[in-house]
Amino acid sequence: MYAQLVKTDADKVKSLEEMDPQERRFQERIDDDQKIEPKDWMPEGYRKTLIRQISQHAHSEIVGQLPEGNWITRAPTLERKAILLAKVQDEAGHGLYLYCAAETLGVSRDALIEQLHSGKAKYSSIFNYPTLTWADIGAIGWLVDGAAIMNQVPLQRCSYGPYSRAMIRICKEESFHQRQGYDIMMKLCQGSAAQKAMAQDALDRWWWPSLMMFGPPDADSVHSAQSMAWKIKQNTNDELRQKFVDQTAPQAAFIGLAIPDPDLKWNEEKGGHDFGEIDWTEFHEVLKGNGPCNAERMEARVKAWEDGAWVRDGLSAYADKAAARVAAE
Amino acid sequence: MSKEWPLWEVFIRGQHGLSHRHVGSLHAPDAEMAVHHARDVYTRRNEGISIWVVEARHITASAPGEKGPLFEPSNSKVYRHPTFYDIPEDVGHM
């Protein structure tokens, strides 16, 4: 999940009886599966939570370009390079759709970007891990985009119209991302022993961070209940994580890769896999900024923003001049 | 010193002669750049053959509170739909 820890400001979910008439009407519309649109009345908590969630999601798309961008110039063939370029371009587009959705809630683009650069806003922990080999690009597409899709598909039904519409567009575009990643892994596994070992090494390093993408376990996830009542979250973190493990385990087996979890096994009774304990200390450290690449990612992001300032200013000055010329005529 | 570029709404006409349809928004310094950005952001997969952009501040929208007075009157006018009329089958297609 690209938004892993979204605070809602609510310590408990209000019942319809506890709400004032306006809020009650709002909740009843949500319960009735009606979409909330930008100009509709909404509780302040709903607005703030959505801004946090959508902007975390947008920031993740933007920062997510960095680990992959690392391999554009190093892709093994021209075709792989073109594909990776298209994928990274999609991530930029997805970030832009999401920023626009957040802006409909009354926050400016510059404010959102400032929150990312100052470290106030979060992005997914997954992008703070390094991409050491070409196989990492395969593992990211297969696992990271796979986990993201698992989270994003239900978000298409989110109660907030602009977010839901952005998700529909993103989901439509993103399924190629996962398939191209699996395709890279498949090719590596059909290659030499060294190539297969490279694929296995990438899976070993990306497996656990991918499971962390779904956020903390339900028992520790205090904000889930309110987000689910507002229908800005449809499934719990653990539900989606379970689904991801069940989907991915056979895919790994198919290409002959071993998932690095000795406790992973099929549980007939529950109709799903059992799997090992996630290292939540690592998760919280990475979120706090202490992951292997947090500093590097933010440095690259801020540098890109600052290096582009003269272009943005130049274009603004040109537009102002042209507008003044028209006004004078 | 930088100022934020204004917001533009983007409309795209698809392949099959349909009307331009709202697809989303973006920031751009002027109309020309807005069209360029719209092409990059909203037509990466052959989605369109024509782009319209309009600065968001020029759009006037109806207020959500007026939904009733604006749209409810048409609810009762079922005779505006062809299915309101029973035409005997013997008459054939009409």
Side-chain angles (χ1 to χ4, degrees):
Chain A
M1 179 165 182
Y2 279 1
Q4 294 165 313
L5 255 186
V6 181
K7 293 204 174 83
T8 59
D9 293 341
D11 31 22
K12 79 180 237 339
V13 180
K14 273 194 231 170
S15 69
L16 283 177
E17 290 69 36
E18 291 168 298
M19 294 175 185
D20 66 42
Q22 201 169 30
E23 188 173 358
R24 189 181 168 142
R25 258 198 314 278
F26 171 84
Q27 187 62 48
E28 281 167 349
R29 285 183 62 196
I30 289 192
D31 295 342
D32 187 36
D33 279 332
Q34 292 181 33
K35 292 277 183 249
I36 307 300
E37 294 297 339
K39 292 173 109 185
D40 294 343
W41 183 88
M42 59 188 82
E44 210 33 45
Y46 179 83
R47 180 191 304 276
K48 280 194 189 155
T49 305
L50 268 173
I51 291 176
R52 283 192 203 114
Q53 180 168 332
I54 301 173
S55 64
Q56 270 190 34
H57 198 156
H59 297 327
S60 299
E61 299 282 357
I62 297 299
V63 178
Q65 298 177 90
L66 297 170
E68 291 182 299
N70 187 32
W71 282 90
I72 291 176
T73 54
R74 301 174 174 88
T77 67
L78 192 56
E79 186 187 64
R80 292 286 186 198
K81 179 175 176 159
I83 292 171
L84 184 55
L85 206 53
K87 179 176 189 290
V88 172
Q89 204 181 13
D90 272 354
E91 313 294 4
H94 297 172
L96 294 178
Y97 308 156
L98 289 162
Y99 280 132
C100 285
E103 286 173 81
T104 63
L105 292 157
V107 60
S108 79
R109 174 78 59 97
D110 281 358
L112 293 172
I113 289 175
E114 205 282 318
Q115 285 167 11
L116 171 67
H117 292 177
S118 71
K120 194 179 158 230
K122 302 280 174 234
Y123 57 90
S124 179
S125 57
I126 193 78
F127 301 117
N128 292 311
Y129 292 87
T131 42
L132 305 177
T133 70
W134 172 249
D136 288 13
I137 299 305
I140 287 179
W142 173 34
L143 303 172
V144 175
D145 287 280
I149 291 169
M150 194 129 283
N151 167 52
Q152 289 171 171
V153 165
L155 280 177
Q156 295 178 100
R157 287 179 285 113
C158 162
S159 63
Y160 188 57
Y163 192 28
S164 148
R165 291 190 283 273
M167 282 335 301
I168 290 170
R169 217 186 148 85
I170 289 174
C171 286
K172 214 191 279 175
E173 296 182 350
E174 203 150 68
S175 63
F176 113 73
H177 295 185
Q178 189 185 15
R179 293 171 69 114
Q180 67 86 36
Y182 192 67
D183 183 65
I184 290 175
M185 296 304 261
M186 222 159 41
K187 287 276 152 53
L188 286 171
C189 290
Q190 291 159 1
S192 65
Q195 285 168 327
K196 187 162 184 185
M198 188 192 272
Q200 180 63 54
D201 168 63
L203 173 59
D204 290 348
R205 283 180 291 108
W206 289 93
W207 175 252
W208 292 105
S210 297
L211 293 192
M212 292 175 200
M213 286 178 68
F214 296 94
D218 293 349
D220 306 337
S221 186
V222 281
H223 306 292
S224 269
Q226 180 60 72
S227 287
M228 288 176 85
W230 280 333
K231 294 195 185 160
I232 56 182
K233 185 170 177 172
Q234 313 270 354
N235 306 87
T236 71
N237 297 351
D238 286 338
E239 272 167 29
L240 291 173
R241 187 165 17 242
Q242 180 69 50
K243 221 173 140 190
F244 176 75
V245 172
D246 292 338
Q247 175 190 285
T248 311
Q251 293 169 351
F254 183 81
I255 49 176
L257 293 179
I259 287 177
D261 177 359
D263 298 324
L264 182 87
K265 61 169 185 296
W266 178 253
N267 179 333
E268 189 61 48
E269 206 176 309
K270 93 171 175 188
H273 291 80
D274 290 331
F275 53 96
E277 185 61 31
I278 293 166
D279 180 359
W280 293 112
T281 318
E282 175 181 325
F283 170 75
H284 287 292
E285 279 304 307
V286 176
L287 269 199
K288 258 193 272 170
N290 304 325
C293 300
N294 293 61
E296 189 187 325
R297 297 286 181 247
M298 263 319 95
E299 223 176 86
R301 181 57 217 142
V302 172
K303 184 176 185 303
W305 178 252
E306 286 173 354
D307 288 354
W310 69 273
V311 180
R312 294 192 299 277
D313 292 345
L315 287 168
S316 287
Y318 176 83
D320 289 347
K321 237 175 166 174
R325 210 175 299 133
V326 170
E329 272 166 18
Chain B
M1 71 142 280
S2 298
K3 64 167 188 179
E4 193 173 281
W5 289 342
L7 188 69
W8 299 74
E9 298 299 332
V10 180
F11 301 80
I12 306 269
R13 185 206 292 285
Q15 304 280 354
H16 306 291
L18 298 173
S19 319
H20 285 78
R21 202 171 146 234
H22 182 244
V23 292
S25 43
L26 48 77
H27 288 270
D30 58 26
E32 193 189 342
M33 286 304 294
V35 170
H36 280 296
H37 287 175
R39 177 246 185 214
D40 290 344
V41 178
Y42 291 107
T43 65
R44 289 194 303 282
R45 287 174 174 77
N46 276 325
E47 285 94 337
I49 50 166
S50 164
I51 298 171
W52 285 353
V53 294
V54 59
E55 226 186 299
R57 67 187 170 97
H58 294 310
I59 291 180
T60 307
S62 63
E66 289 170 40
K67 216 158 57 188
L70 283 178
F71 307 115
E72 268 165 27
S74 75
N75 281 351
S76 56
K77 297 176 180 57
V78 284
Y79 45 82
R80 284 178 171 162
H81 298 277
T83 45
F84 179 73
Y85 305 92
D86 286 324
I87 305 287
E89 253 175 54
D90 294 344
V91 177
H93 176 73
M94 185 180 284

